Each structure stands twice: as structure tokens, then as C-alpha cells.
């Protein structure tokens, strides 16, 4: 990953594993992984995002696509024997991470589409959910197979590590989104301040123009007053 070191991934991995332990130790997992409903699509629908940001209307099929990209449900049947496994807990963790990403202000930014850096979160959820279930199923089968003799332990360990790393990479992506959000907020504040300064300059210029114009109007009014007095005196002399 560009700009991401082994230390970053190791730290993210620790966070994910701690979250898995916390999910398992917090009174147990609920009957099924939570569904995900977001205000903003979780897939990189670049054309639709462009239309949305431009304020253009969607066709009926586009509206359906927009809606479908905002909803995710777990497909595997996480039955009782897998109900409190670490694999299932990992699904709960990835759901939390994805909900955080999809709910962030940056996720709604056209910047992600312009630079093609929007992840397909629906794919991430579905892949982790499916692979976690397959791993839990394999681990259950091997635990009841008296002939297994530990020969598949490497497969179990490496598969679990790969899944954890995938979720850890998502947490890094979420962290980078938050950092980008901070940068954009600072940039927006700077731009707002610059626009305010430009407006101040315009107001000051207008203020000076108003003072000049007012002075000119007063001068003209004075001339009108003098002209009126002159005409009045001339009229008075003519009358006498």
C-alpha cells in the first residue's frame, strides 16, 4: 500500500483483534450480523455520483442502482455452532468500520470520485462475510475430524491472518479518510477566510466610493442651494 508501512498495518491489526475480543466478551454476539443501511452508496458509482453532484435527475434504473448500493445484508447462515466464533465477531467489526467510512463527510465528497479512490465497500463486506463463514465452517469441521491431526493448522492460521489484515487495511483507509476530512476542513476554512477578506476589500472600496459620491452629491446640493439663492435674489430685484 502506497504510503502505508508495516508498522501501520501491525498497529491496525492490533486494533482489529482487540475489537474482535471486545465483541466476543461484550455479552456475546447477537443472532445475526447487523444489516448496513447508509445514506450514501457504498460502491464507486462514478457516473451516478457525478450526476448527483451536478443536481441531475436519475432514471428509474439509476435510482434502483443508487438504492441497492446503499444496503448490505449478510448472506451466510451463521447458525448456532458458528454463533460466537472469532470469525463471526470479525464480521461485526468490519460492519462497524464500513459504517464509519460510509457515514463520514469525506465519503460524500466528489474528491474521491475525481481521483478514483473510492473503495467498493459492498464488495469488502460481502467478501469478508463469506470468507469468515467459510473459515469458521472449516475450523468447525476440523475440530470434529479425529483424523485431521493438525495438518491444516497452517491453512487456518494464514486464512485468519489474511482476513484480519483485510479488515485492518479498511481501518487504515478509514483513518486516511478522517485525515483527508481534516485537510479539506482546513482548506475550506482558509478559502472562507480568503473570500471574507475579498468581501472586506470590496466593502472598503464601496465605502470609499460611497464617501466620494456623498461628497459629490453634497457639493452639487450646495451648488443647487447657491443657484436657488441667486435666482431668488434676481427675481426679487426684478420685482422691485
Amino acid at each position: 500500500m502506497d504510503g502505508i508501512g508495516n508498522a501501520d498495518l501491525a498497529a491496525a491489526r492490533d486494533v482489529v483483534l482487540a475489537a474482535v475480543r471486545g465483541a466476543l466478551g461484550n455479552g456475546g454476539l447477537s443472532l445475526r450480523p447487523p444489516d448496513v443501511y447508509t445514506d450514501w452508496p457504498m460502491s464507486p458509482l462514478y457516473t451516478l455520483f457525478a450526476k448527483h453532484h451536478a443536481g441531475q435527475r436519475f432514471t428509474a434504473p439509476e435510482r434502483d442502482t443508487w438504492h441497492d448500493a446503499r444496503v448490505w445484508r449478510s448472506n451466510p447462515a451463521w447458525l448456532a455452532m458458528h454463533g460466537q466464533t472469532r470469525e463471526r465477531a470479525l464480521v461485526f467489526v468490519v460492519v462497524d468500520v464500513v459504517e464509519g467510512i460510509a457515514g463520514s463527510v469525506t465519503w460524500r465528497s466528489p474528491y474521491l470520485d475525481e481521483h478514483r479512490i473510492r473503495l467498493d465497500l459492498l464488495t469488502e463486506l460481502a467478501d469478508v462475510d463469506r470468507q469468515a463463514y467459510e473459515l469458521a465452517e472449516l475450523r468447525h469441521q476440523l475440530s470434529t475430524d479425529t483424523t485431521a491431526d493438525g495438518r491444516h493448522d497452517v491453512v487456518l492460521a494464514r486464512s485468519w491472518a489474511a482476513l484480519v489484515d483485510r479488515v485492518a487495511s479498511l481501518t487504515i483507509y478509514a483513518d486516511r479518510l478522517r485525515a483527508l476530512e481534516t485537510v479539506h476542513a482546513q482548506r475550506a476554512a482558509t478559502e472562507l477566510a480568503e473570500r471574507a477578506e475579498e468581501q472586506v476589500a470590496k466593502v472598503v472600496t464601496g465605502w470609499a466610493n460611497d464617501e466620494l459620491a456623498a461628497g459629490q452629491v453634497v457639493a452639487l446640493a450646495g451648488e443647487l442651494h447657491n443657484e436657488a439663492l441667486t435666482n431668488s435674489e434676481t427675481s426679487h430685484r426684478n420685482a422691485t
Side-chain angles (χ1 to χ4, degrees):
M1 283 179 286
D2 185 26
I4 305 300
N6 291 333
D8 296 307
L9 187 57
R13 187 185 300 123
D14 289 342
V15 170
V16 170
L17 290 174
V20 167
R21 292 191 295 270
L24 288 172
N26 191 26
L29 303 173
S30 57
L31 293 178
R32 53 172 290 129
D35 297 338
V36 179
Y37 298 92
T38 68
D39 294 331
W40 211 248
M42 291 177 281
S43 294
L45 309 174
Y46 298 117
T47 301
L48 297 188
F49 277 114
K51 289 188 69 171
H52 179 84
H53 287 303
Q56 299 174 2
R57 294 174 64 87
F58 288 160
T59 64
E62 287 173 339
R63 283 196 301 271
D64 291 341
T65 300
W66 186 264
H67 175 268
D68 292 343
R70 292 164 42 220
V71 181
W72 175 83
R73 295 181 178 88
S74 176
N75 287 320
W78 288 96
L79 301 177
M81 60 185 177
H82 304 321
Q84 302 302 317
T85 60
R86 64 182 186 178
E87 290 84 6
R88 189 161 179 258
L90 185 63
V91 174
F92 280 73
V93 172
V94 76
V95 165
D96 286 342
V97 174
V98 167
E99 285 182 331
I101 292 172
S104 70
V105 174
T106 312
W107 188 252
R108 296 167 170 78
S109 170
Y111 181 88
L112 297 185
D113 304 309
E114 294 166 0
H115 294 269
R116 292 296 195 268
I117 52 177
R118 187 183 299 278
L119 269 176
D120 190 334
L121 299 179
L122 284 177
T123 296
E124 295 298 320
L125 283 169
D127 285 356
V128 171
D129 190 35
R130 182 182 60 255
Q131 185 64 13
Y133 180 82
E134 294 296 335
L135 182 55
E137 176 68 12
L138 176 61
R139 198 154 60 85
H140 172 73
Q141 290 177 0
L142 292 177
S143 69
T144 59
D145 183 0
T146 57
T147 65
D149 196 25
R151 64 181 181 274
H152 297 304
D153 288 351
V154 172
V155 173
L156 292 174
R158 293 194 63 175
S159 296
W160 172 248
L163 260 183
V164 170
D165 281 354
R166 185 165 186 174
V167 178
S169 69
L170 281 173
T171 68
I172 294 174
Y173 183 86
D175 288 341
R176 296 304 186 269
L177 272 186
R178 283 190 289 270
L180 185 60
E181 187 170 321
T182 300
V183 170
H184 283 177
Q186 292 171 344
R187 183 180 302 165
T190 299
E191 291 174 353
L192 181 61
E194 290 174 351
R195 289 195 299 270
E197 289 300 320
E198 291 174 359
Q199 189 63 30
V200 167
K202 290 180 181 179
V203 169
V204 169
T205 300
W207 167 20
N209 290 336
D210 289 341
E211 287 185 338
L212 180 60
Q216 292 173 340
V217 171
V218 168
L220 291 174
E223 292 180 12
L224 286 173
H225 178 69
N226 293 336
E227 187 67 22
L229 288 177
T230 300
N231 289 337
S232 177
E233 291 174 354
T234 301
S235 298
H236 179 71
R237 285 196 298 270
N238 291 337
T240 59

